[in-house]
Amino acid sequence: MKRGGGRARARLGNVGPSLARRGLGLLGLALLPLGLGACQPRVAVEAPKDPIVIHMNVKIEHEIKVQVDRELEQLFASEKDIF
Amino acid sequence: MAARVEARGTLVRERDGSLAWRAEVALRDGAATTALARVEGVHGAIVLEGPPAHTPGPQLVAIGLADVGVPLREGLVEATLRPDGALAVKRARFAFAGGALESGAAVLDPDAGLDAVTLRARDLDLGELLALAALDGLSGAGRLDGELPIAREEGALRVRGGVLRAREPGGTIRYAPTDSVGAMAAARPYDLGLAVEAFSDFRYEQLEARVDGTLDAALTIALDVRGANPGFQNGRPVELHLNLEARLADLVRAGRASYRVPEAVEERLRAFSEGRTSP
């Protein structure tokens, strides 16, 4: 890898300063789309790393009653845009 | 107690004038009911000596069903009847929830009953355990191990500090709500609705259930699960802490499944019928 890089620099040195400048200009044009690409906004949505915590009490009788932890209920009520 | 019994034996008068006896007994389809358990399908070829009646060593007995509040099936028990009437269990194994419950040494005193024994749970099927809860739409897959310390308290068998844990990550829990629960979830989108959605296809990394309560009455199961649903909020981690209270005994007393006597016990019974020595 290092040797390849050394040869490229040697060739630029042999063709003289003007061609070397033109070569660098072409390289800059070639890299432009990459630069523009890097400016595009990200579309992937990354999930929050912190877990959703659910507390439930279930009593199985003849009917099923589900009670959600009051604290959790308050949290959801106060931060409706949390998700 | 009821059973079909065949026996043959010898009666010897000792030099001191006392009588001693030894009998080989084939027990088939025995059944008994005690205050703590109902036992059915008892099979075994056992050796008894007396008086007082006891076994000269551990004997192997197959038990089709031991209903201790929760039905334990396909049991294999190796135990010694001691001269004092107590049953010294060397080891016991019952099929349960697609896996097994195993016990090490324990003593069953006919007067005191079972004092304490720790059952080791091996390779239980989460799907079958969830099916015990008989909650429509709830299913799962995964294997669990654990320990269930059981003691007799106030005439009933009680689990105190039982723990079941997932063997490895990667199991699933799925809940497809019934119409009524679905309607409730739709009305409460920020709590119940979220929970229902998260568990529509939940993949757990950790699962632990703590079990306490009386086997033939209310059992409390505290379930802690951590994992994610890949289709819910881009796989955001979810922690569930569920306290489940249920009378499992009422739910799982379904019809008795067909039962086949294990080969080891069947061979002993065949040997008895043919007059051979038991293996």
Side-chain angles (χ1 to χ4, degrees), chain A residues 15-27:
Chain A
V15 292
S18 62
L19 272 177
R21 271 198 299 274
R22 205 186 314 167
L24 285 172
L26 287 171
L27 185 64

Side-chain angles (χ1 to χ4, degrees), chain B residues 97-138:
Chain B
L101 295 178
E102 299 169 351
S103 130
V107 175
L108 283 81
D109 188 313
D111 299 321
L114 177 73
D115 279 326
V117 63
T118 295
L119 296 178
R120 288 185 302 274
R122 296 264 186 256
D123 203 22
L124 304 189
D125 183 289
L126 177 63
E128 292 201 23
L129 284 173
L130 292 176
L132 293 180
L135 189 59
D136 284 343
L138 183 65

Side-chain angles (χ1 to χ4, degrees), chain B residues 86-238:
Chain B
L87 195 64
V89 177
K90 187 179 172 190
R91 61 194 169 99
R93 182 184 192 281
F94 286 88
F96 182 68
L101 295 178
E102 299 169 351
S103 130
V107 175
L108 283 81
D109 188 313
D111 299 321
L114 177 73
D115 279 326
V117 63
T118 295
L119 296 178
R120 288 185 302 274
R122 296 264 186 256
D123 203 22
L124 304 189
D125 183 289
L126 177 63
E128 292 201 23
L129 284 173
L130 292 176
L132 293 180
L135 189 59
D136 284 343
L138 183 65
S139 63
R143 312 301 293 191
L144 310 182
D145 294 322
E147 293 193 334
L148 300 169
I150 294 178
R152 195 177 66 126
E153 286 182 20
E154 297 168 2
L157 294 178
R158 182 180 181 90
V159 183
R160 194 178 281 278
V163 178
L164 298 174
R165 286 191 190 90
R167 275 194 162 189
E168 52 193 10
T172 60
I173 299 174
R174 291 196 174 96
Y175 180 57
T178 57
D179 289 347
S180 58
V181 177
M184 283 168 64
R188 300 176 63 164
Y190 296 110
D191 44 42
L192 182 60
L194 272 177
V196 166
E197 198 184 340
F199 280 84
S200 62
D201 182 18
F202 190 76
R203 324 284 170 93
Y204 65 77
E205 292 165 12
Q206 294 169 3
L207 182 150
E208 181 177 296
R210 295 181 304 285
V211 185
D212 283 281
T214 311
L215 285 181
D216 63 353
L219 263 184
T220 302
I221 299 169
L223 181 69
D224 294 325
V225 194
R226 187 183 166 93
N229 176 347
F232 173 70
Q233 298 200 5
N234 294 312
R236 181 176 182 178
V238 174

Side-chain angles (χ1 to χ4, degrees), chain A residues 45-61 64 66 68 72-73 76 80 82-83, chain B residues 133 135 188 190-192 194-195 226 232-234 236-247 251:
Chain A
V45 178
E46 196 170 308
K49 296 285 187 281
D50 54 314
I52 297 173
V53 181
I54 301 170
H55 294 267
M56 292 178 80
N57 292 308
V58 176
K59 188 170 183 177
I60 298 181
E61 294 172 319
I64 297 159
V66 180
V68 177
L72 184 73
E73 205 168 43
F76 285 129
K80 284 192 171 153
I82 193 169
F83 302 117
Chain B
L135 189 59
R188 300 176 63 164
Y190 296 110
D191 44 42
L192 182 60
L194 272 177
R226 187 183 166 93
F232 173 70
Q233 298 200 5
N234 294 312
R236 181 176 182 178
V238 174
E239 278 180 23
L240 173 72
H241 305 284
L242 171 68
N243 274 308
L244 178 70
E245 193 180 315
R247 291 181 66 93
L251 294 167

